[in-house]
Amino acid sequence: MQAEKELGIQVARAVAAICIMYFHSWIALVRFPEGAALQIPILTKFGWLAVDFFFAISGYVICLVITKPGFQPIPFLIKRCFRIYPLWILTLTAFAAMALAWRAPMETETIGHFLRSMTLVPTQPLPFYGPGWSLQHEVAFYLLAALVVPIAGVNGLIVVLLVSTIAAHTIEMPWYVSQLALRHPEFLAGILAFLMAPRLRRLGVAFPLLLGMTLLWLLMRLANENCVAPALFFLVIAFVNIEKPPAALVAIGDASYSIYLTHMVTFFVISAFTSKVILPSWTAEPLRFLVMAAVVVMSFACWRLFERPLTRYGARLAAKYQQHQINLLPPTKATADRAGLDG
């Protein structure tokens, strides 16, 4: 069942990546005459919600990790760093080089802002490369989990997220704390989905999916974007309950991080190309889906050749650190911890 849950989460990642990619695909078509593109209205208007869905997915996935026996914060952070930073630094640098080669730098595009963006600490305005804003939230959440869980467990993490969310809406806080806390409900939705998933397995896929989509529509219509967490809870449950996901969607889920980081760079390149070459209006939609397909293919190659080797290297470093810590323990304790590590 654990493997099935993880495969369902990979499908969720695939859906989120495709939605956010479509939402940004207008960048590739901006040079076409107005009306040339035939939009999918729901994705054009609400595709940005896929980023919130990514946050909920992260809440679920991190719980898979932090609830394992023998969880240690330092190995956890080592693996997270190798998962996030190499591809981020690569795409950030590629975007900066391409943008500055194509046009004059914007007012905010300074060396200092580039270096600060590289660290993924909170920035105002957006980081040098826009998609990095969500990674700032991801990294902050990983640090929070690493600090809180060893002391207070998952329940303590839930309390911290709840308190920070309430504080963000009721008291004045430093901008960087408030900026991060406003997204804590999405991570919390994923954590609660993890805790409730075994009990909600009987609901299957269709019912929580329909409930989540309906609730999402109601919340967006009656409230605002900061109220979508309850809907995301049911959407995560729906995908977790998928028992036999299509292999193609699982593969796209594997490459979802590459898709998220590379799609905008690719769209900017296509936009630059279409600014020099006049294409018939009818080619707008074929071009959109051709470029999206190319992004998926390139991202899968990036995952196989770049992401996965570095992630595995990070995992080996984390395991070496754990083994070193075990070797420093007294013999009885070391034997027990080594059994947990092997398990």
Side-chain angles (χ1 to χ4, degrees):
M1 183 175 293
Q2 188 71 14
E4 293 172 355
K5 286 185 178 181
E6 293 183 8
L7 290 179
I9 285 295
Q10 291 303 89
V11 174
R13 283 173 164 161
V15 170
I18 291 170
C19 288
I20 198 66
M21 180 167 51
Y22 185 92
F23 178 73
H24 288 142
S25 62
W26 64 269
I27 296 170
L29 308 182
V30 70
R31 307 290 181 174
F32 283 86
E34 187 175 353
L38 303 175
Q39 307 285 352
I40 301 176
I42 190 170
L43 292 181
T44 300
K45 188 174 182 180
F46 297 114
W48 56 270
L49 283 168
V51 179
D52 296 85
F53 191 34
F54 268 127
F55 293 152
I57 293 169
S58 287
Y60 183 95
V61 170
I62 292 308
C63 278
L64 285 172
V65 177
I66 64 180
T67 56
K68 289 182 178 179
F71 168 75
Q72 295 181 23
I74 298 300
F76 165 73
L77 291 176
I78 290 173
K79 287 186 281 189
R80 289 290 99 189
C81 282
F82 277 88
R83 176 77 175 93
I84 294 293
Y85 278 97
L87 187 59
W88 162 244
I89 293 172
L90 178 64
T91 52
L92 169 67
T93 305
F95 171 79
M98 292 166 54
L100 298 180
W102 181 257
R103 54 166 172 75
M106 298 182 183
E107 184 178 349
T108 60
E109 292 178 342
T110 64
I111 294 295
H113 188 53
F114 173 84
L115 294 176
R116 185 178 176 87
S117 298
M118 189 177 291
T119 66
L120 290 175
V121 298
T123 56
Q124 281 188 330
L126 290 174
F128 200 102
Y129 180 44
W133 77 268
S134 69
L135 302 185
Q136 294 172 352
H137 291 272
E138 295 275 358
V139 169
F141 174 63
Y142 301 155
L143 289 171
L144 189 62
L147 287 171
V148 174
V149 170
I151 300 171
V154 175
N155 290 335
L157 182 59
I158 291 173
V159 171
V160 170
L161 294 175
L162 281 173
V163 170
S164 64
T165 298
I166 294 170
H169 290 280
T170 55
I171 64 176
E172 186 174 351
M173 299 189 296
W175 67 266
Y176 48 88
V177 177
S178 177
Q179 177 177 300
L180 295 173
L182 287 173
R183 298 292 176 176
H184 284 175
E186 284 78 12
F187 292 106
L188 183 57
I191 294 172
L192 294 177
F194 173 82
L195 296 176
M196 295 296 295
R199 301 179 185 180
L200 300 180
R201 189 74 176 175
R202 69 189 71 176
L203 295 181
V205 178
F207 178 72
L209 181 62
L210 179 61
L211 183 58
M213 293 300 293
T214 303
L215 192 56
L216 188 63
W217 179 82
L218 287 173
L219 290 171
M220 290 300 297
R221 186 176 179 85
L222 302 176
N224 58 57
E225 64 183 77
N226 293 322
C227 299
V228 300
L232 298 177
F233 167 84
F234 287 105
L235 291 178
V236 172
I237 291 295
F239 282 96
V240 167
N241 287 346
I242 296 176
E243 295 184 355
K244 296 181 180 180
L249 285 178
V250 172
I252 294 174
D254 291 338
S256 59
Y257 183 51
S258 289
I259 291 172
Y260 181 73
L261 282 185
T262 63
H263 75 276
M264 286 189 68
V265 173
T266 307
F267 291 159
F268 282 128
V269 170
I270 298 302
S271 177
F273 171 77
T274 55
S275 70
K276 301 298 183 181
V277 178
I278 299 177
L279 297 174
S281 296
W282 65 265
T283 62
E285 284 304 315
L287 179 64
R288 182 205 302 268
F289 287 99
L290 180 62
V291 175
M292 288 177 62
V295 169
V296 171
V297 173
M298 290 187 299
S299 296
F300 186 74
C302 180
W303 174 73
R304 290 286 300 272
L305 301 175
F306 185 80
E307 271 193 84
R308 190 167 64 171
L310 284 171
T311 301
R312 288 177 172 175
Y313 180 71
R316 289 197 296 270
L317 286 182
K320 286 182 179 179
Y321 174 87
Q322 287 179 292
Q323 187 62 55
H324 176 70
Q325 294 300 108
I326 291 172
N327 291 338
L328 297 178
L329 294 173
T332 303
K333 177 64 174 173
T335 300
D337 283 6
R338 187 174 292 110
L341 179 60
D342 293 340

